[in-house]
Amino acid sequence: MEARARPAGDGPYYLPTGNEVEIAGQCHARGLALMLKGPTGCGKTRFVEHMAWRLGRPLITVSCHDDLTASDLVGRFLIRHDQTVWQDGPLTRAVREGAICYLDEVVEARQDTIVVLHPLTDYRRVLPIDRTGELVEAAPGFQLVVSYNPGYQRMLKDLKPSTRQRFVAIALDFPGPAAEAAIVASESGVERGTAVALVELAGRLRALRDRGLAEVPSTRLLVAAGRLVASGIDVRQACDVAVIAPLSDDPTLLGAMRELVEAMVP
Ligand SMILES: Nc1ncnc2c1ncn2[C@@H]1O[C@H](COP(=O)(O)OP(=O)(O)O)[C@@H](O)[C@H]1O
Ligand SMILES: [Mg+2]
């Protein structure tokens, strides 16, 4: 379907790091499902919010977890005043309304939950509802978008190839330093110089990955630190509580990170 004209106003702020806006827009227009891969806090959710706004479509988000069942997505019969009534789940609502359905951390969901997505991701673009026998055709504008963080070590959990190959995959990562500083300044209201310093600190902390730091600071953490600084908290303390402490409980790693901060923010 034709992408609708972008609505007036600014919409959710998203600074592109590559050609992802164009690619995602074309996928939407061509009925292709989209997979976003990238570390936590790199902007996946914001990107989807921004695209939904650009395309003028409602956004329905589902956070996936291992208890999520196919019924949680598709719908279930409920008893109301002695009557059994069918209630659509979020996926079914999105299919009927032509919304963008965003399944966050999709690898957390079980295989038997994920298979309900399959008929929506091929040329049929239908959702069979076994319980009612209904076959719902996706309304124009419907798009399935899933995301996950490929960095997490998952022994048993991974998407099956038969699922993966149904998606166009865009790899997102932390933006380059200049872009990340612009994001931190814009999102937190902190001065540009402070934003640049926070990004520089993040760069050094991210290099600690080789020394055993499993989770490196995300753009989200830098935005949080920036917000604290903008509200009057001392920079060093903001870095400590918003950037360093969330990352690890290991005293050695925490010490190494604090030393970095002290060297950079005297
Ligand atoms: N490219 C970007 N443009 C604008 N804001 C961004 C961008 N990348 C990250 N952010 C900021 O980082 C925060 C975390 O991003 P989010 O989309 O929630 O990450 P993810 O879903 O990948 O975990 C956002 O709320 C936003 O403030
Ligand atoms: Mg997210």
Side-chain angles (χ1 to χ4, degrees):
M1 89 155 214
E2 281 293 302
R4 285 192 201 171
R6 189 174 343 151
D10 279 348
Y13 166 70
Y14 179 75
L15 187 68
T17 54
N19 203 20
E20 66 269 28
V21 170
E22 162 85 19
I23 293 171
Q26 288 301 337
C27 286
H28 182 263
R30 315 273 161 241
L32 296 169
L34 192 62
M35 171 192 290
L36 304 175
K37 323 199 271 187
T40 183
C42 79
K44 299 183 293 297
T45 296
R46 178 62 65 85
F47 177 50
V48 176
E49 290 166 350
H50 177 81
M51 288 309 301
W53 165 78
R54 272 184 95 91
L55 298 164
R57 304 312 309 163
L59 175 63
I60 297 180
T61 298
V62 181
S63 294
C64 297
H65 51 83
D66 26 10
D67 290 336
L68 188 81
T69 63
S71 304
D72 292 331
L73 288 179
V74 175
R76 53 171 51 91
F77 283 108
L78 301 175
I79 312 276
R80 271 212 199 116
H81 312 297
D82 292 342
Q83 282 198 327
T84 317
V85 289
W86 173 259
Q87 190 177 55
D88 282 343
L91 178 65
T92 310
R93 267 195 290 131
V95 169
R96 289 194 209 276
E97 289 172 18
I100 292 178
C101 187
Y102 176 42
L103 302 181
D104 202 358
E105 279 302 327
V106 69
V107 281
E108 296 295 332
R110 297 191 315 246
Q111 288 302 335
D112 54 326
T113 304
I114 287 176
V115 290
V116 307
L117 305 176
H118 285 190
L120 281 168
T121 55
D122 57 31
Y123 68 96
R124 292 172 288 172
R125 281 171 59 88
V126 291
L127 177 66
I129 305 183
D130 293 343
R131 296 282 177 79
T132 63
E134 192 185 358
L135 188 67
V136 189
E137 251 177 69
F142 169 78
Q143 187 184 24
L144 186 64
V145 181
V146 304
S147 74
Y148 75 102
N149 177 352
Y152 287 145
Q153 294 297 322
R154 292 187 184 81
M155 298 304 281
L156 297 167
K157 277 186 179 169
D158 203 356
L159 287 179
K160 280 193 179 169
S162 60
T163 300
R164 286 176 167 274
Q165 298 212 11
R166 294 168 176 275
F167 293 86
V168 171
I170 299 180
L172 296 175
D173 205 341
F174 302 125
E180 193 165 36
I183 292 167
V184 172
S186 162
E187 289 283 289
S188 69
V190 91
E191 275 173 39
R192 178 134 183 109
T194 310
V196 169
L198 288 171
V199 169
E200 203 176 308
L201 172 68
R204 298 202 190 169
L205 292 171
R206 285 169 190 162
L208 291 179
R209 185 178 257 146
D210 306 334
R211 285 175 55 191
L213 189 65
E215 281 290 304
V216 296
S218 64
T219 309
R220 177 190 292 128
L221 290 190
L222 302 185
V223 169
R227 287 193 179 143
L228 290 180
V229 174
S231 64
I233 306 278
D234 164 71
V235 179
R236 214 193 251 195
Q237 201 166 30
C239 289
D240 192 33
V241 298
V243 183
I244 289 173
L247 292 177
S248 175
D249 298 315
D250 179 300
T252 317
L253 279 172
L254 287 172
M257 291 194 277
R258 291 206 173 102
E259 272 173 31
L260 271 179
V261 173
E262 278 158 29
M264 290 184 68
V265 188

